[in-house]
Amino acid sequence: MKKIILGAMILSFAACGEKSTTTETKTENKTEANSSESAIKNGIVITENGLKVSKAMLLHEDGTEISNDNTVGIGEVILCRIFVSGWKDENGQVKIGAGQTVETNDGTVVLDQEDLFSTLESASLEDAGVITLKATITELNKSIHDFTVHFKVWDKTTNADVTGSYNFKLK
């Protein structure tokens, strides 16, 4: 368990960006959380295309869960933690990619990151099981409080991927 958490933290730091993070992706099996008992929480919508997601949730920087209304304060870090399987490993190593986009409710892109892992040659299969993407809005515009994060996580060896999105609002 310690190694998985450490791996998640390593991937989390590799995925840390500027103001926000998101990824967009393709089709097939859509899943959305409608109850607190679901493994996919916070209204995260997931589309699987070769990779599988067993759990996904939004967390505060301290690891506590963000409430289901996805409301955070200005400058507060949002961690989107995704538990992913289906990677093609070579000698216990996988080649991962992850990108994200953050948009305002009127469609203005405030952050676009194509591949957060572009400098990471490979990761252990175990570490790739937990991907953490980071989003933070650091400036407040009085008229903009609602945001959508689109994210994509993919296997660079097979091009299998998972895409998703979630909404959040500022207090």
Side-chain angles (χ1 to χ4, degrees):
M1 184 69 157
K2 232 179 190 181
K3 189 169 184 180
I4 293 172
I5 292 171
L6 178 60
M9 294 305 290
I10 291 169
L11 294 177
S12 171
F13 288 117
C16 291
E18 297 158 17
K19 293 184 182 179
S20 309
T21 48
T22 305
T23 304
E24 44 187 274
T25 205
K26 299 177 187 173
T27 59
E28 315 282 313
N29 311 329
K30 279 196 177 185
T31 308
E32 182 174 357
N34 292 327
S35 75
S36 59
E37 309 243 333
S38 175
I40 311 293
K41 298 182 177 183
N42 300 95
I44 299 171
V45 177
I46 299 287
T47 303
E48 299 170 331
N49 182 28
L51 294 179
K52 300 288 182 198
V53 174
S54 61
K55 292 189 331 185
M57 75 275 299
L58 300 181
L59 303 170
H60 294 283
E61 197 167 28
D62 67 4
T64 60
E65 291 188 19
I66 291 178
S67 65
N68 285 332
D69 68 359
N70 294 357
T71 300
V72 297
I74 189 76
E76 193 172 338
V77 173
I78 301 169
L79 301 176
C80 180
R81 184 147 304 149
I82 310 162
F83 293 77
V84 182
S85 62
W87 300 100
K88 174 159 178 27
D89 71 292
E90 296 174 0
N91 300 319
Q93 297 291 302
V94 298
K95 295 181 180 180
I96 64 174
Q100 55 189 359
T101 304
V102 178
E103 298 177 351
T104 63
N105 58 342
D106 69 359
T108 302
V109 175
V110 295
L111 179 69
D112 186 9
Q113 296 177 307
E114 289 184 21
D115 185 0
L116 298 162
F117 297 116
S118 63
T119 60
L120 182 67
E121 188 158 322
S122 65
S124 75
L125 179 60
E126 187 174 4
D127 288 349
V130 181
I131 305 294
T132 301
L133 303 174
K134 177 181 176 180
T136 305
I137 301 297
T138 58
E139 297 174 18
L140 177 63
N141 179 322
K142 289 184 182 185
S143 64
I144 301 173
H145 291 275
D146 298 308
F147 297 86
T148 301
V149 177
H150 299 276
F151 60 88
K152 178 179 181 177
V153 175
W154 69 94
D155 184 324
K156 291 180 177 178
T157 302
T158 65
N159 290 322
D161 65 41
V162 63
T163 59
S165 65
Y166 64 89
N167 298 313
F168 71 93
K169 35 187 172 186
L170 296 177
K171 295 178 185 175

